[in-house]
Amino acid sequence: MSRRSPVVPGGEGQGKSDPMKISVARERRPEERRVAASPDTVKRLVGQGHEVVVEAGAGNGASFTDEAYAAAGAAIAPDAAAALGAGDVVLKVQRPLRAGEGPLDELALIKRGAVLIGMLQPLQRREDVDAYAKAGIAAFAMELVPRITRAQSMDVLSSQANLAGYKAVIEAAGAFGRAFPMMMTAAGTIPPARVLVMGAGVAGLQAIATARRLGGVVSATDVRFAAKEQVESLGASFLAVDLDAMKAMETAGGYAKEMGADFARRQREHVTEALKKIDIVLCTALIPGRKAPVLITREMVGVMRPGSVIVDLAVEQGGNVEGSEFGKTVTTANGVTILGPANLLSEIAVDASQLYARNLLAFLALLIDKDKSLKIDAADEIVKATLLTRDGAVVHPQLAPAPAAGA
C-alpha cells in the first residue's frame, strides 16, 4: 500500500492517495487534563475522509471515553508509540515531551515529515523549535495565530483565556472567606466583595463579567486606552492615572505594550491606594514572548486587608505578583492569600478541550486541500505566522537565524 507524503513540496497538492492519518496522544505534562480532539471534532474529521487515531485514555481527564471516540469513528491506539507513530498530522495541547523531560520521548515517536500542531511556546522554548527542525517535523504554534477576523475561529489564546478568566473568579470565591454578593438579612447586611481585575484582555473581561454575575463590585485597570470602553460596557469602573498616555500603550495586534518607567510608577501609586479597599484581585496581564510584567509588588500586597485574595494567572510566565509561586497557595504575613494556579484550564478540562479542539479543526482546514492532502501555503498570513519549522529548518521570522553578512 502506498504511503502519503505528509508535507507537500512547494505547497502543491498530491493526487489520490491513502486517507490522511491524524493522531491524538494523551497529554503527559504535569497537571494537564485537556486533550487536543473531542469526539465531536473526531466525527467531523472522519466525515471529511481522514483517519483519526486516538491513544487509549487520551480523553479521560476531559471525560471523553475511548468508547465515545470509537463511536465517532476513531481507531484507539494502545499506547503513545502506536498513536504518534501513525500520524501524518499530530495534534497536541502542550509541546511534546523530549528526552529527559518525562516518562518517554514523545518527539522521537513522531515520524519524520509529519505535521505537529499545538501550543508549543516557541518564544519561550527555542531549544524545542531547534529539535523540531532536527526531527524533520513541520511544527505549528497555535498561540501565534494572528488576531485578524479570518483567524477568530482558530484563536486558541482567546478561547482558553475566556475560560481561564471565568475559572479564576470561581477559584477566588472559593478561597475568599466571605460571600460575594451583598446580602440583607435579619441579622444585618453583608457588604459585596470588592474586586479589581488587572489586565482587561479576553481573560480579564470574562473575569469582570463573572465577578459581576456573582454580585461583586468590580473595577479594572489596563494600560490600553481601548480597554476603558470595554470595561465600562460590562458595568465595571475603570482605574486610570493618565488616559492620554494610555492611547499609545497598544500594539497593532491588540496586545499591550510594556509601559514606560514614569507611567508605571504613577499607575502603581494609583493602584496601591485602591488596593486598600479591595477584597479580591485577579491578575491577567501577559506580553507575548516576554516575562509577565509585575503589577503588584510586595509593598502593594502589604497594604491589603487580612483575608484578601489575589489570583495570579500569569504565574507560569514569571507572575504579575511578587511572591506568587507556580502551583502553590501563599499566605502573606498580613493575611493575604495569593493563588498561583499551575494549570487552571485543566480544572475545566471538558469545555477547554472542546473549544481547543474546534480551534484545531478550523486551523486544519487551512492545511488540507480539496484532494484531502496536506498543503502548506507559506504565503497565507495565518500559516506564515504559526509555522515554526519546515524541511529541517527553522523558518519562523522571529526565530530563524539571521542571514550571513553579505548574503
Side-chain angles (χ1 to χ4, degrees):
M1 181 178 290
S2 63
R3 294 290 295 168
R4 168 181 297 276
S5 175
V7 181
V8 181
E12 296 176 358
Q14 304 177 98
K16 298 295 183 181
S17 61
D18 296 341
M20 185 165 62
K21 289 187 174 146
I22 300 172
S23 294
V24 180
R26 180 166 61 86
E27 298 292 322
R28 287 176 166 79
R29 291 196 176 273
E31 310 296 333
E32 185 55 77
R33 297 172 54 199
R34 290 172 293 175
V35 63
S38 66
D40 176 64
T41 59
V42 166
K43 184 176 181 179
R44 295 191 195 187
L45 289 168
V46 171
Q48 292 169 7
H50 309 304
E51 291 184 8
V52 180
V53 180
V54 178
E55 182 186 353
N60 287 352
S63 301
F64 302 145
T65 64
D66 292 345
E67 290 76 15
Y69 282 118
I76 306 300
D79 53 33
L84 293 171
D88 299 319
V89 175
V90 174
L91 303 181
K92 289 277 295 168
V93 176
Q94 296 205 39
R95 55 199 173 88
L97 292 168
R98 293 169 56 206
E101 286 191 305
L104 65 117
D105 185 346
E106 293 179 308
L107 182 58
L109 298 177
I110 301 173
K111 66 185 180 182
R112 194 169 191 86
V115 169
L116 169 66
I117 305 173
M119 291 188 285
L120 305 180
Q121 299 182 304
L123 302 180
Q124 297 90 346
R125 303 284 181 175
R126 174 55 200 266
E127 66 278 7
D128 285 355
V129 179
D130 292 333
Y132 305 147
K134 185 176 180 181
I137 291 169
F140 290 87
M142 290 300 295
E143 59 267 61
L144 299 183
V145 168
R147 286 189 164 174
I148 58 176
T149 301
R150 189 167 66 91
Q152 285 181 346
S153 62
M154 311 166 201
D155 188 351
V156 299
L157 291 183
S158 292
S159 72
Q160 301 301 286
N162 231 318
L163 290 170
Y166 158 80
K167 187 61 175 174
V169 177
I170 302 304
E171 293 292 308
F176 190 46
R178 290 172 35 204
F180 232 90
M182 182 177 73
M183 294 184 179
M184 301 180 70
T185 74
T189 299
I190 297 172
R194 293 187 173 274
V195 181
L196 173 63
V197 177
M198 302 192 73
V202 175
L205 292 174
Q206 183 57 248
I208 292 168
T210 303
R212 289 269 298 155
R213 291 188 197 105
L214 290 179
V217 175
V218 185
S219 55
T221 183
D222 194 288
V223 297
R224 296 169 300 124
F225 180 77
K228 181 177 184 293
E229 182 178 352
Q230 296 170 318
V231 165
E232 292 175 344
S233 72
L234 293 171
S237 58
F238 191 71
L239 289 182
V241 67
D242 188 338
L243 291 176
D244 289 332
M246 290 174 61
K247 292 179 181 179
M249 292 285 181
E250 186 171 0
T251 69
Y255 295 101
K257 292 181 181 178
E258 194 165 6
M259 64 182 76
D262 179 65
F263 182 89
R265 177 188 57 78
R266 290 185 294 135
Q267 183 76 352
R268 188 167 293 158
E269 290 172 354
H270 190 58
V271 171
T272 300
E273 192 61 31
L275 287 175
K276 295 176 181 178
K277 300 178 182 179
I278 293 295
D279 298 307
I280 293 172
V281 183
L282 303 161
C283 295
T284 70
L286 290 170
I287 300 173
R290 302 278 298 277
K291 183 181 180 296
V294 175
L295 303 181
I296 300 182
T297 64
R298 294 182 192 276
E299 291 74 20
M300 294 168 75
V301 174
V303 308
M304 297 182 70
R305 296 180 292 192
S308 301
V309 175
I310 304 173
V311 181
D312 189 353
L313 285 182
V315 67
E316 188 173 2
Q317 287 185 223
N320 292 150
V321 185
E322 285 187 344
S324 66
E325 295 186 31
F326 180 70
K328 296 183 179 180
T329 297
V330 175
T331 302
T332 67
N334 62 319
V336 176
T337 298
I338 305 175
L339 306 180
N343 188 338
L344 199 58
L345 290 162
S346 277
E347 300 301 316
I348 191 168
V350 176
D351 290 330
S353 297
Q354 290 275 20
L355 295 184
Y356 182 70
R358 291 171 194 161
N359 292 145
L360 294 188
L361 183 69
F363 184 78
L364 277 171
L366 289 178
L367 307 181
I368 300 173
D369 66 14
K370 57 181 174 49
D371 294 320
K372 310 303 180 188
S373 298
L374 279 166
K375 177 182 177 182
I376 297 178
D377 180 7
D380 184 283
E381 61 183 322
I382 301 173
V383 172
K384 182 178 180 180
T386 54
L387 181 61
L388 305 178
T389 59
R390 188 181 188 188
D391 298 328
V394 176
V395 298
H396 194 277
Q398 290 180 259
L399 301 168

